[in-house]
């Protein structure tokens, strides 16, 4: 029996590869990202390791605030502390370090270098100590004058600067020029690139750019010969009880971890698509094996007739699945390494990656084999089991054709699955259970499986016939044959289409959500902001922003009625409700910190806006209010009604709030509003804001401009443009442009997601091609007959292509339907959460394009099988059995 | 070549040879066969297994190509035609009936009958269609799929298809081979009727002397050569001749 199975497989080598192709792609993707992430992490870690090698201890503020989206910000420490540290025994050298993202590098082309998604741009002060200074000079000299700077060599090249040039740097104080006196790089000899764009200045300049008057981000300490990091750290901790001390080693590890975490998130994100691809591959394997088993019915029956046991028949097919899985895993691994190499070359343009081919980790190999073989065998089990039910008598029957039909149990099971899936989806959406996301995912899979695989066959035949119906008027026979061919095996058609359904469902879901979010943002902006222009900054980096002078200048522009600045800063709510919330959260991982721990009281980190009450509420519609903007005096704040109610605050209450600069402050709730126009739940009058936040945040992130009635808008805009002309990151936008700018980052994300989902679609195409090839093989005799009675090669090709298009459109139609249902369900939940904001919008154009692309994809998938079918030798085909 | 033969004949071959393999394993399936089939006549081809009957028929019907010599349908020489011209010729000028599996399982009986015309994008001649369908006697079954028809009914649909486009000539390779004698006789009667009353031209391969007896003329093939022929055959005379040739 083993030999029979093996012979079978070897006789069908090519099919082995095409069947495995889907698995190969999935595995390649999965292991490729895994291998790459390993390489990246190692490279980054060694880069950071060598950069911070000379630092034996770091002294910093114990206060740290969460900015959300994974970013944290630590309070600065006073400059005077450096002298104190210098006194401590065991210290060879202590230097204050400025390390912020508060300025941008402007290239020779006048544009900001880098994007919001790439590695950050950092402002440093150059440390006059070869051990404490990160990296080495590669050219020129260190900055000694306040007008001088050093750049890392990669950024200098990207921006188009060389030593001796005037470099433009943009900060919230506007653009400035510096003399580029040297270049530097990371590593022992300065030859490594770090990815981040690094700008080094003299300490006073760096402090000015970083908004750190007489302050540093941390102090880097080098130990005296013979003093260990631990000893140094503990003597520092005793000497400076209010500061936090960490050893150099720990500091390095912290930095490595934060970057590794980012790589991990990225890897997980990309891996998700690998899993989607494998899920799609399951359908293809299942389908291919179903067809093979059906076609081999006669052979199987013959084996059974001559005495093979059921178990042996089952084993033979499982064996084939194992072999397919094995081959696919090996090829997938090879593909993974290839993919990783290509990606590595790309990443290598950003920063120095270890040289050589990415090596396979044992984990990648294990993943490949377990997933590859596991998926193949699992997908092949059902068809294998079905094959054991072939009675020996079937050997005597005429043709072995998969005549799947629709049974009653299919309807029952399909309905059960559908109800189960819908229930789980609902529970997930309703945030029930410990892990709603898992419930939602599970529900989505069940729903998809029930519709695509179990119920799909019920509608496959009528759908196929319906689709070709408009084309079958008169004597047109090819569409009719294509439709009938797709309809003759509803189960096969449905299972093949299902692979495409998954990709299309996801694409549709994302497309609908994206267009809805865009529409929502647009409508929110248009309905709640009555500004004519907005001065907006294109960078997200903390510390960059619109110079505070801009609003003053804008007010002086003739025709401007109102110019309303808005600022942004993190703060911590420390009222009793927030403290409870914080306590309910899982405890932070224990940090082996010396000196002061987190000095701030527990509470919830969130953010607030600093606004000018008089103008802000003129321009922004915040709905019904209690209290009035006039009440927003220094020491007060306004909150969204929903939040105030949740926390049990009433007008006039004093709410304890923690600020990094001023510690805990009692603020009086002077006003509530019920419509958060996407702006934020907590509004502080600028007087309160300015007094309490770090200088870093005392910069406008947006300025709303309202003109006087009858003002010449073009003229006003021209003058506003002039105000921000020397800051390339800052621009003047009208409301439409402003709304677009809000959703622009989203487009990049979407492009990436679509690209990755393309993988699932490609795999689905392979599936369609595979099914068609097998069907063509199965119908050889019929095709020969058609050719014999006068069907031309072209007509035959069109028949096969037509069938493929039907399958593709069928899969797409179901995918569109499910995608729209899912997205609608999500929108209902979102709307229930925040009524009136979410605008469910179907991107009709995009959905039409998706359908057309799918139909076109159907044509592509059919090309090879159609060509092969049309080349059949008529006589041989007619006389084949 | 004799031009007179081509003018009165519906089809034929001139020194047609078909050689399979080469060198020592060479098989001469057809060995310089010259034959012609007259219009409105029913010709049977007989001969032992492997004598080249099917090969001759396939070459005449444009399903296969000769190694040397020529075949023609009406005044068209097939050897000069391209693949797509051959396909069109099969579609418009030739009907073909195989021993079994003649029908497309996804199409109804009627659709199978009109298939060649549908492929050509031509409208069937209504009157002729009615004649053919009534002659085959399948009117109540026209909407049925092949799987819902008996073997004999399927073959009759196949013959109806072969006749439906009013081809120059119909080739049938053992059309009764898979049928019981009753259905076989029905089919043969029908073919006889198509020739005598409707003026069709049919060439049929058969192993059965009583089937051959329905024809106007029998050609005997052996080892790729024409050995003999008989006009107005009867079953007994055919059987005698077969015995004679077998010796
Ligand atoms: N494709 C082929 N390759 C090689 N030899 C072939 C091929 N087709 C037919 N032959 C040989 O050509 C000869 C004639 O075959 P053909 O099929 O014409 O015989 P036949 O008279 O139709 O026989 P039967 O009565 O059994 O159908 C046989 O010897 C056969 O083996
Ligand atoms: Mg034969």
């Amino acid at each position: 029996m083993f030999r029979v199975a093996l012979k079978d497989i070897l006789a069908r080598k090519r099919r082995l590869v095409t069947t495995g192709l889907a698995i190969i792609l999935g595995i390649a993707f999965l292991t490729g990202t895994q291998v790459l992430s390993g390489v990246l992490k190692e490279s980054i870690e060694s880069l950071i390791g060598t950069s911070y090698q000379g630092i034996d201890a770091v002294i910093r503020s114990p206060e740290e605030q969460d900015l959300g989206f994974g970013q944290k910000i630590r309070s600065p420490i006073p400059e005077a502390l450096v002298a104190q540290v210098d006194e401590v025994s065991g210290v060879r050298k202590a230097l204050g370090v400025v390390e912020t993202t508060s300025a941008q590098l402007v290239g020779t082309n006048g544009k900001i270098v880098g994007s919001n998604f790439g590695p950050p741009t950092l402002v440093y002060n150059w440390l006059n100590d070869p051990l404490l200074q990160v990296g080495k000079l590669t050219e020129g000299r260190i900055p000694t004058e306040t007008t001088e700077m050093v750049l890392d060599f990669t950024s200098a090249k990207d921006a188009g600067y060389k030593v001796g040039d005037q470099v433009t740097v943009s900060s919230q104080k506007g653009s400035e020029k510096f003399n580029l006196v040297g270049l530097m790089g990371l590593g022992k000899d300065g030859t490594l690139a770090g990815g981040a764009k690094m700008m080094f200045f003299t300490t006073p300049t760096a402090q000015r750019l970083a908004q750190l008057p007489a302050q540093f981000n941390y102090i880097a300490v080098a130990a005296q010969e013979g003093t260990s990091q631990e000893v140094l750290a503990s003597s520092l901790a005793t000497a400076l009880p209010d500061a936090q001390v960490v050893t150099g080693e720990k500091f390095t590890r912290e930095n490595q971890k934060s970057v590794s975490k980012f790589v991990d998130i990225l890897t997980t994100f990309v891996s998700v698509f690998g899993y989607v691809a494998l899920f799609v591959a399951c359908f293809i394997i299942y389908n291919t094996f179903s067809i093979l088993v059906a076609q081999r019915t006669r052979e199987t029956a013959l084996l059974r007739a001559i005495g093979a046991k059921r178990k042996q028949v089952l084993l033979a097919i499982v064996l084939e699945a194992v072999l397919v899985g094995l081959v696919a895993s090996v090829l997938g691994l090879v593909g993974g390494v290839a993919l990783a190499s290509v990606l590595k070359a790309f990443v290598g343009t950003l920063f120095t990656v270890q040289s050589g081919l990415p090596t396979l980790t044992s984990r990648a190999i294990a993943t490949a084999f377990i997933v590859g073989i596991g998926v193949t065998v699992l997908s092949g089990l059902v068809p294998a089991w079905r094959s054991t039910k072939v009675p020996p008598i079937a050997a005597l029957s005429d043709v072995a054709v998969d005549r799947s039909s629709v049974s009653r149990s299919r309807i029952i099971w399909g309905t059960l699955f559908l109800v189960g899936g819908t229930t789980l989806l609902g529970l997930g959406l309703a945030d029930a259970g410990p892990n709603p996301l898992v419930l939602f995912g599970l529900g989505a899979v069940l729903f998809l499986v029930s519709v695509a695989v179990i119920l799909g066959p019920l509608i496959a035949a009528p759908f196929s016939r319906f689709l070709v119906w408009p084309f079958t008027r008169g004597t047109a026979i090819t569409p009719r044959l294509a439709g009938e061919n797709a309809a003759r095996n509803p189960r096969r058609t449905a299972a093949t289409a299902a692979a495409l359904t998954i990709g299309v469902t996801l694409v549709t879901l994302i497309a609908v959500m994206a267009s809805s979010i865009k529409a929502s943002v647009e409508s929110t902006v248009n309905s709640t902001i009555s500004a004519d222009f907005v001065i907006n900054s294109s960078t997200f980096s903390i510390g960059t922003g619109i110079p505070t002078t801009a609003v003053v200048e804008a007010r002086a522009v003739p025709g401007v009625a109102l110019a309303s600045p808005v600022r942004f800063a993190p703060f911590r709510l420390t009222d009793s409700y927030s403290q409870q919330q914080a306590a309910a959260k899982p405890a932070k991982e224990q940090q082996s910190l010396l000196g002061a721990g987190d000095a701030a009281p527990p509470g919830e980190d969130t953010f607030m806006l600093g606004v000018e009450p008089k103008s802000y509420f003129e321009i922004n519609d915040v709905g019904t209010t209690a209290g009035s903007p006039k009440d927003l005096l220094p020491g007060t704040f306004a909150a969204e009604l929903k939040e105030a109610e949740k926390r049990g605050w009433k007008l006039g209450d004093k709410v304890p709030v923690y600020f990094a600069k001023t510690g805990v402050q009692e603020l009086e709730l002077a006003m509530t509003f019920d419509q958060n126009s996407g702006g934020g739940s907590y509004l502080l009058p600028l007087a309160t804001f300015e007094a309490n936040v770090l200088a870093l945040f005392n910069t406008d992130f947006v300025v709303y401009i309202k003109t006087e009635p009858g003002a010449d808008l073009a003229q006003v805009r021209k003058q506003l443009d002039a105000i921000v002309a020397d800051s390339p990151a800052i621009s003047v936008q009208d409301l439409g442009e402003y709304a677009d700018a809000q959703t622009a980052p989203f487009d990049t994300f979407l492009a990436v997601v679509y690209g990755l989902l393309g993988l699932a679609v490609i795999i689905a195409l392979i599936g369609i091609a595979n099914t068609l090839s097998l069907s063509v093989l199965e119908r050889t005799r019929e095709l020969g007959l058609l050719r014999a009675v006068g069907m031309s090669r072209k007509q035959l090709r069109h028949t096969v292509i037509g069938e493929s298009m039907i399958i593709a459109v069928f899969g797409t139609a179901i995918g569109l339907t499910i995608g729209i249902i899912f997205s609608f369900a999500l929108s209902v939940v979102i709307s229930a959460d925040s009524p009136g904001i979410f605008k469910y919008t179907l991107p009709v154009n995009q959905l039409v394009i998706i359908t057309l692309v799918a139909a076109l994809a159907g044509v592509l998938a059919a090309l090879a099988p159609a060509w092969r079918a049309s080349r059949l030798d008529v006589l041989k085909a007619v006389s084949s059995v | 070549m004799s031009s007179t033969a081509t003018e009165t004949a519906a089809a034929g071959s001139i020194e047609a040879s078909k050689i399979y393999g080469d060198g020592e394993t060479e098989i001469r399936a057809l060995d310089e066969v010259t034959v012609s089939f007259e219009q409105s006549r029913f010709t049977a081809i007989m001969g032992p297994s492997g004598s080249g009957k099917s090969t001759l028929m396939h070459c005449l019907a444009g399903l296969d190509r000769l190694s040397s010599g020529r075949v023609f349908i009406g005044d068209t020489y097939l050897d000069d035609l391209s693949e797509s011209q051959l396909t069109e010729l099969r579609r418009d000028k030739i009907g073909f009936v195989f021993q079994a599996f003649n029908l497309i399982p996804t199409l109804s009986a009627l659709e199978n009958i009109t298939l060649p015309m549908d492929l050509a994008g031509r409208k069937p001649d209504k009157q002729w269609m009615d004649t053919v369908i009534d002659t085959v006697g399948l009117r109540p079954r026209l909407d049925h799929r092949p799987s819902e028809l008996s073997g004999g009914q399927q073959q009759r649909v196949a013959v109806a298809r072969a006749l439906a486009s009013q081809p120059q000539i119909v080739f049938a390779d053992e059309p009764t081979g898979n049928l019981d004698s009753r259905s076989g006789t029905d089919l043969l009667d029908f073919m006889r009727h198509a020739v005598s009353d409707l003026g069709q031209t049919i060439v049929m391969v058969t192993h059965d002397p009583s089937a051959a007896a329905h024809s106007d003329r029998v050609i005997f093939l052996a080892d790729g050569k024409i050995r003999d022929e008989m006009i107005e055959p009867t079953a007994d005379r055919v059987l005698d001749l077969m015995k004679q040739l077998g010796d």
Side-chain angles (χ1 to χ4, degrees), chain A residues 398-399 403 465 474-478 480-481 484-485 488 781-793 795 873-875 878, chain B residues 58 63-64 83 87-88 90-91 96 98 100-108 111 115-124 145 161:
Chain A
D398 252 346
V399 255
R403 295 202 195 283
R465 297 201 175 100
T475 55
I477 190 74
T478 37
R480 169 121 174 79
L481 277 172
E484 286 304 323
N485 281 340
R488 75 205 284 182
R781 182 162 202 149
E782 192 179 319
L783 299 179
L785 180 66
L786 281 168
R787 293 275 290 121
V789 300
M791 179 178 260
S792 68
R793 285 188 167 158
Q795 284 174 316
D873 183 314
V874 179
L875 259 190
V878 171
Chain B
H58 292 152
L63 288 168
D64 204 355
E83 167 64 32
T87 304
E88 274 175 39
R90 284 202 301 270
R91 191 184 69 195
F96 210 103
F98 297 99
F101 302 111
N102 270 298
L103 306 179
I104 301 301
T106 47
L107 299 180
S108 69
E111 284 169 327
L115 182 60
M117 282 161 287
D118 286 343
L119 286 170
R122 266 195 287 134
K123 278 242 179 306
R145 295 273 172 108
R161 179 191 58 211

Side-chain angles (χ1 to χ4, degrees), chain B residues 41-58:
Chain B
R41 297 264 270 171
F42 190 178
T43 311
I45 302 179
M46 299 197 73
S49 190
S51 56
K53 305 183 294 289
S54 297
T55 307
L56 177 62
M57 197 159 248
H58 292 152

Side-chain angles (χ1 to χ4, degrees), chain B residues 145-163:
Chain B
R145 295 273 172 108
S147 58
E148 297 160 336
L149 299 175
S150 75
Q153 288 169 332
Q154 286 181 29
Q155 287 303 82
R156 278 197 275 168
V157 173
V159 175
R161 179 191 58 211
L163 291 172

